[in-house]
Amino acid sequence: MSGAVGDAVGDAVGDAETHDPATTTAATTTRLSVAAGGSAPGAGSRPEGHARHRLDEVIHAPVRFSIVAALAGVDDAEFATIRDAVEVTDSTLSKQVAVLEKAGYVKVRKGYVGKRPRTWLSLTRDGRRAYESHLEALRAIAGG
C-alpha cells in the first residue's frame, strides 16, 4: 500500500501487531477506521458507506470497462474499431458487449456498408450514467 491510506493502515497494523496498549492509541484506531473506509469522528455519517459499494459490477471488469470508456468519447463506433482499441478478439468483444447490452448499457446496431455487414456500438443513456457514476466511485476511492 502507498500514500496516506497505506501509511495509516501500516501504522495501525504495526501498532496492533505489537499488542502494546501504550502504542495503540485512539488516533491509531481512527486512522485505521478511516483508511478502511470508515469516517473520522465528527465527519458525519455517509449513508452510502465506502465508495467501493458504488462501483458498477457490470462495468468494473477490465475489458467491459475498456469498452465503455472507448464508447464514452464517441456517439457510436464500429465493432472493429472498438475491438482494435481494446485489443481483444472478436469473440471476447462479442461476449463482453452481450453482457453490456443485457444490462442496458450498450446499444448494438447492425447494418451494411455496401455489401459488407457492419456492427456499430454505442452507449445508452443508462450506460453513460453508469460509467460516470463508476468513475466518480473510482475517484473517491483514489482520493481525487
Side-chain angles (χ1 to χ4, degrees), residues 1-87:
M1 282 185 233
S2 63
V5 171
D7 294 343
V9 171
D11 291 347
V13 169
D15 290 348
E17 287 174 353
T18 64
H19 302 290
D20 182 357
T23 60
T24 306
T25 64
T28 300
T29 304
T30 299
R31 284 195 318 267
L32 181 56
S33 173
V34 171
S39 54
S45 63
R46 293 177 300 174
E48 70 277 357
H50 191 276
R52 78 176 179 282
H53 300 296
R54 296 189 311 268
L55 292 173
D56 188 302
E57 293 298 323
V58 173
I59 293 176
H60 194 65
V63 172
R64 291 193 294 266
F65 182 76
S66 298
I67 294 165
V68 172
L71 290 172
V74 297
D75 289 333
D76 65 3
E78 281 194 25
F79 183 93
T81 302
I82 299 299
R83 177 200 61 213
D84 295 346
V86 177
E87 299 178 350

Side-chain angles (χ1 to χ4, degrees), residues 63-64 66-68 70-71 77-100 106 108 119 121:
V63 172
R64 291 193 294 266
S66 298
I67 294 165
V68 172
L71 290 172
E78 281 194 25
F79 183 93
T81 302
I82 299 299
R83 177 200 61 213
D84 295 346
V86 177
E87 299 178 350
V88 293
T89 64
D90 286 353
S91 175
T92 298
L93 181 58
S94 181
K95 289 175 187 172
Q96 299 305 319
V97 165
V99 172
L100 291 165
V106 170
V108 178
T119 301
L121 307 172

